[in-house]
Amino acid sequence: VYAYINDIIIASKNIEEYLKYIKTVLNILNKVYIYILIEKSFIAYLLVKLLSYIVNSKGVAKIDNKIAIFKKLKFPNTLKTLE
């Protein structure tokens, strides 16, 4: 379970584990009087992109899409090629 400022992401390997985590998290939130809006909730997504990461049942992976574009660019290495 990963908690961010406005997000709680629950990732699991199967639906049974997922439902168990949801129940646990909701119980904890209820005990400390924190409530969520069901209208703003996304439940049972297979994959979530958050910040620069992908979260799914296999774990958390870094997305390098923004950096990959710059890595492919060819920059001039001499003044002559710059002209």
Side-chain angles (χ1 to χ4, degrees), residues 20-75:
K20 179 181 153 190
Y21 287 148
I22 286 180
K23 185 176 179 180
T24 301
V25 169
L26 290 177
N27 284 336
I28 291 168
L29 293 175
N30 190 44
K31 285 180 185 176
V32 294
Y33 305 102
I34 296 175
Y35 303 101
I36 60 170
L37 295 173
I38 199 69
E39 301 87 31
K40 291 189 172 188
S41 300
F42 300 95
I43 299 174
Y45 276 61
L46 297 176
L47 178 133
V48 176
K49 291 182 181 178
L50 180 67
L51 303 174
S52 294
Y53 296 91
I54 292 178
V55 180
N56 62 22
S57 64
K58 296 177 184 174
V60 180
K62 180 97 170 116
I63 303 173
D64 288 333
N65 292 350
K66 296 174 186 170
I67 298 170
I69 294 168
F70 290 104
K71 286 182 179 178
K72 291 180 182 179
L73 288 176
K74 303 266 186 207
F75 291 101

